[in-house]
Amino acid sequence: MAIAYPHFFGSEKAKNLKPSLMVTPTPSPVILSQDELKKIAAYKAVEFVESGMVLGLGTGSTAKHAIDRIAELLRIGQLKNIVGIPTSSITHEQAVSLGIPLSDLNAHPILDLAIDGADEVDSQMNLVKGRGGSLLREKMVEAASKKFIVIVDESKLVSHLGGTGLAMPVEIVPFCWEFTLRRLEMLFIEAGCVGKLRVVGESGEPYVSDNGNYIIDLYFKSDMGDLKEASDAILRLAGVVEHGMFLDMATTVIVAGKLGVFVTNK
C-alpha cells in the first residue's frame, strides 16, 4: 500500500526533523516513469559522496543509476580516490565495466557511506530488501557503513513491512530447505504467512544466491507484529542465514515521486 510521502514518516518523527533535512518538493507538470524517479533519487544520493570515500555499492535497478553517476563523476574529475565495495556479483561486474576501483570488507571493515535501494520502506525507516537476491551481502556492507542512504520511488512506501503483499526474503542453507520453510511459516501462522522457494526458469530450479544459498520468500496476509521480535525469531532458526528486514539501519531515505524529492535523515 503506497502512502502520500510528505506526511509519511509520521508526526512524531517529523517533530524531530530540522527544516533543512527536508528538501522542498518541486512539482513538475511532466509525468515521470518509475525508472526516471529512481534515477532522480539515485542522483540526489550521489550528492552526498565526497572524494576519498569508501563506498558501499548497492544492488538493483535504483542503485544501478547511482553507480552510473559515481562513475561519470569519476570520469570528469569531480570525484577522486573513490573505493567501492560491491554488494553482489552483478554490481561488481557493473563497477568493473565502469572503471570504479573496488575492494572488500577485509581491506575496509568500516565504510564511509553506502547507497542502495529498497523493496519497502516503513514510516520508521525500516526496510525490506533482497527481492533481487543480494540481501546477505547488502546487509554485511551496509551494517559496516557509517551512513546508509536508501533511495526509492514513492511506490516503495508501506504502512508496515510486508504491507505490499509481496515477498519478504529469507536466505537459507539448501540442506532440508522444505523443513526450514515449514518452520518459517509456523513462526507467523497468525499473520497468514505462506513461504515459497524462489525458483528460476521454466524448469523450476531453485534460485541460488551469490553465497550458494536458497531463498524462501515469505508472504503475509496481515502485519507480522513486532519487527525486532520477528527478526530474532527468524534468525534463531537453524538453517537460516539472514533475512531481508533491515531494521534501524538506514540513516537517510530519499524518496522521489510526483510531488518532488524528499530527503529524511534519522
Side-chain angles (χ1 to χ4, degrees), residues 59-73:
T59 298
S61 56
T62 311
K64 181 179 183 299
H65 288 304
I67 297 167
D68 286 341
R69 179 61 172 164
I70 290 166
E72 179 185 359
L73 294 178

Side-chain angles (χ1 to χ4, degrees), residues 2-214:
I3 310 283
Y5 57 89
H7 309 291
F8 174 70
F9 290 102
S11 57
E12 290 303 314
K13 180 173 285 293
K15 291 176 184 176
N16 297 323
L17 291 176
K18 297 178 181 179
S20 61
L21 300 184
M22 297 297 291
V23 174
T24 302
T26 307
S28 170
V30 178
I31 298 176
L32 300 176
S33 69
Q34 186 179 32
D35 189 63
E36 288 169 329
L37 293 174
K38 291 177 179 180
K39 187 173 183 179
I40 290 169
Y43 277 41
K44 183 64 181 177
V46 175
E47 293 178 12
F48 289 78
V49 177
E50 299 176 2
S51 294
M53 280 187 166
V54 179
L55 300 176
L57 304 178
T59 298
S61 56
T62 311
K64 181 179 183 299
H65 288 304
I67 297 167
D68 286 341
R69 179 61 172 164
I70 290 166
E72 179 185 359
L73 294 178
L74 282 169
R75 282 196 303 271
I76 64 178
Q78 287 190 23
L79 286 177
K80 298 178 181 179
N81 302 319
I82 293 294
V83 175
I85 312 294
T87 56
S88 66
S89 58
I90 291 175
T91 296
H92 183 279
E93 291 170 5
Q94 180 193 0
V96 168
S97 71
L98 295 172
I100 299 175
L102 299 180
S103 187
D104 58 30
L105 291 174
N106 292 325
H108 297 278
I110 300 176
L111 285 63
D112 297 295
L113 177 67
I115 299 174
D116 206 352
D119 300 306
E120 296 182 5
V121 183
D122 74 8
S123 60
Q124 301 303 309
M125 297 170 65
N126 295 313
L127 319 171
V128 167
K129 290 177 51 58
R131 290 181 188 150
S134 304
L135 61 124
L136 175 58
R137 295 191 186 186
E138 288 174 337
K139 190 170 285 189
M140 290 177 68
V141 169
E142 286 145 17
S145 301
K146 296 176 184 177
K147 296 181 179 180
F148 174 27
I149 300 178
V150 178
I151 46 178
V152 295
D153 66 89
E154 62 185 340
S155 70
K156 301 303 190 296
L157 305 181
V158 296
S159 58
H160 60 275
L161 296 192
T164 60
L166 300 177
M168 198 287 282
V170 180
E171 187 162 342
I172 67 167
V173 298
F175 176 73
C176 293
W177 66 263
E178 292 176 277
F179 170 74
T180 305
L181 185 156
R182 289 194 296 269
R183 295 189 75 192
L184 286 166
E185 288 180 328
M186 290 302 296
L187 284 178
F188 304 104
I189 190 169
E190 294 183 359
C193 178
V194 175
K196 295 181 180 180
L197 178 69
R198 187 177 297 185
V199 298
V200 293
E202 295 181 1
S203 64
E205 290 295 315
Y207 171 89
V208 179
S209 74
D210 286 344
N211 317 298
N213 296 315
Y214 290 174

